[in-house]
Amino acid sequence: MNTVLLTNTGDLIHQGRNATDQALGLLNHAVTLEDHQVLRSYFRLLENCPVLTQLNRFFPACLDQYRACPGDNCCTADFHHLEFSKSVEMIGYPGAPRLEIFTSLRGVPDGRSVSIQHQPLQCLLDMPLRLGKLRHVIFGDRMDLFEFDTVFNLFEFIDGIAWELSFQNLPQTCAIRR
């Protein structure tokens, strides 16, 4: 599988060369993160490659919020790092089963995963960022949970984080209109 490395400076490295200007052609590549990655690198990528901001309608508000944050020391003591993961949930088995697949960005304080929904962005930008596992959850007569190593393509990574951050202090963006 083709891979692309996201650097701490927000550049994409493919086959040993900077390929940030070719980001659209790399969206289906597996993403890896440079050591000591923080969430701020994600926003640096969006600034280095503005065409990526067209992938999700929440980017303008997220970028405005990012630009209003301090330039460093944007952390929280509530958890150790951020983890981007994938879940596959099989619901309704036995019976009429359905399958839901989604990504999430969550905080990890002590090996367990917690929501970041109530954390402002200025408390998240300099938190270490890691790629997590795939969680396969089966809901039925009993609940079974399995975890697997997995890959995330660049599109899943970019869009998944945008989706999760769209719930961060952006009620005007996510408001339900009547």
Side-chain angles (χ1 to χ4, degrees):
M1 173 174 254
N2 289 320
T3 61
V4 61
L5 173 72
L6 174 60
T7 69
N8 294 323
T9 58
D11 291 313
L12 295 173
I13 305 298
H14 178 61
Q15 297 179 338
R17 294 189 320 241
N18 188 324
T20 307
D21 61 341
Q22 301 165 17
L24 290 180
L26 302 172
L27 289 174
N28 65 341
H29 287 46
V31 67
T32 58
L33 304 178
E34 189 172 43
D35 291 341
H36 312 294
Q37 188 76 248
V38 295
L39 184 60
R40 189 178 300 274
S41 304
Y42 170 83
F43 287 96
R44 288 176 178 152
L45 171 62
L46 296 177
E47 288 188 323
N48 291 346
C49 190
V51 70
L52 293 176
T53 64
Q54 295 176 28
L55 295 174
N56 190 299
R57 62 184 234 153
F58 297 115
F59 279 132
C62 283
L63 282 168
D64 288 345
Q65 191 177 6
Y66 162 71
R67 290 178 182 128
C69 290
D72 61 1
N73 203 25
C74 294
C75 297
T76 180
D78 290 349
F79 36 83
H80 180 262
H81 66 274
L82 298 172
E83 183 175 88
F84 185 73
S85 61
K86 190 182 301 186
S87 295
V88 175
E89 294 182 352
M90 183 183 288
I91 302 166
Y93 179 82
R98 75 178 194 274
L99 190 66
E100 294 182 6
I101 302 170
F102 56 92
T103 59
S104 59
L105 179 67
R106 299 184 52 91
V108 180
D110 54 12
R112 62 187 171 85
S113 170
V114 298
S115 173
I116 63 168
Q117 185 174 0
H118 300 293
Q119 291 285 342
L121 188 59
Q122 66 258 20
C123 293
L124 300 174
L125 285 175
D126 295 312
M127 293 298 299
L129 177 62
R130 299 182 185 163
L131 297 176
K133 294 188 177 245
L134 177 136
R135 289 179 183 88
H136 183 186
V137 183
I138 301 173
F139 295 102
D141 293 338
R142 61 184 170 83
M143 185 180 98
D144 292 312
L145 173 69
F146 305 96
E147 288 190 333
F148 303 93
D149 289 332
T150 191
V151 296
F152 301 91
N153 67 41
L154 182 60
F155 176 78
E156 287 175 311
F157 181 75
I158 293 169
D159 189 63
I161 291 177
W163 173 255
E164 199 72 41
L165 293 178
S166 70
F167 297 100
Q168 304 298 107
N169 300 319
L170 296 174
Q172 68 279 4
T173 304
C174 298
I176 297 175
R177 299 207 168 130
R178 295 179 191 230

